[in-house]
Amino acid sequence: MADKWDERKKALEDEYFVKKERELIAKLKAKKDEEAGQAVKEICHMRCPKCGERLKERSFQKILIDQCTGCRGIWLDAGELEQVAGREEGSWINRLWQRVEKQG
Ligand SMILES: [Zn+2]
């Protein structure tokens, strides 16, 4: 019984995220590029995916990043990791990024 319920719950969660993703894609298509960035922010970046606390914008090496007010986790928008990595040639984050790119 418990397994069945877990399966159903998982299916509902998947449904929810698929729906959210579709809404996001619809927004991205409907809006101009500069507005699309804001739509992504509204859906993905208002709350921390890990602990659910609010994210606060702060600057790190002159790049705007989102930091969680709860767990202090840092979230990077698309391109921001490359920007951070690009600042420090040979840094650990640069080496990490090169590894991620190879895997992808
Ligand atoms: Zn958090």
Side-chain angles (χ1 to χ4, degrees):
M1 284 295 273
D3 285 350
K4 269 266 178 278
W5 170 241
D6 282 348
E7 257 174 49
R8 180 71 190 131
K9 212 176 115 197
K10 180 82 177 61
L12 281 172
E13 277 172 7
D14 287 347
E15 236 168 70
Y16 174 81
F17 284 112
V18 166
K19 196 168 159 262
K20 277 280 162 201
E21 222 168 75
R22 281 204 192 119
E23 280 174 17
L24 176 61
I25 290 163
K27 276 195 182 187
L28 287 172
K29 279 181 183 165
K31 295 191 177 197
K32 292 181 207 129
D33 280 354
E34 64 264 33
E35 288 174 4
Q38 192 56 40
V40 170
K41 233 178 184 133
E42 278 171 23
I43 293 174
C44 307
H45 291 170
M46 292 305 284
R47 296 270 173 182
C48 173
K50 197 174 163 191
C51 71
E53 284 299 315
R54 280 189 179 282
L55 299 181
K56 201 180 158 194
E57 272 194 340
R58 54 168 290 193
S59 65
F60 172 72
Q61 295 187 0
K62 293 179 184 166
I63 299 160
L64 266 186
I65 55 168
D66 297 308
Q67 182 165 39
C68 176
T69 54
C71 67
R72 315 301 290 170
I74 287 170
W75 304 98
L76 295 164
D77 290 330
E80 285 178 347
L81 181 60
E82 290 97 320
Q83 282 184 55
V84 175
R87 301 276 160 116
E88 285 180 75
E89 201 61 46
S91 67
W92 68 267
I93 199 164
N94 205 346
R95 290 198 300 273
L96 174 78
W97 183 241
Q98 281 166 358
R99 252 165 58 191
V100 171
E101 275 192 324
K102 270 177 205 159
Q103 280 170 10

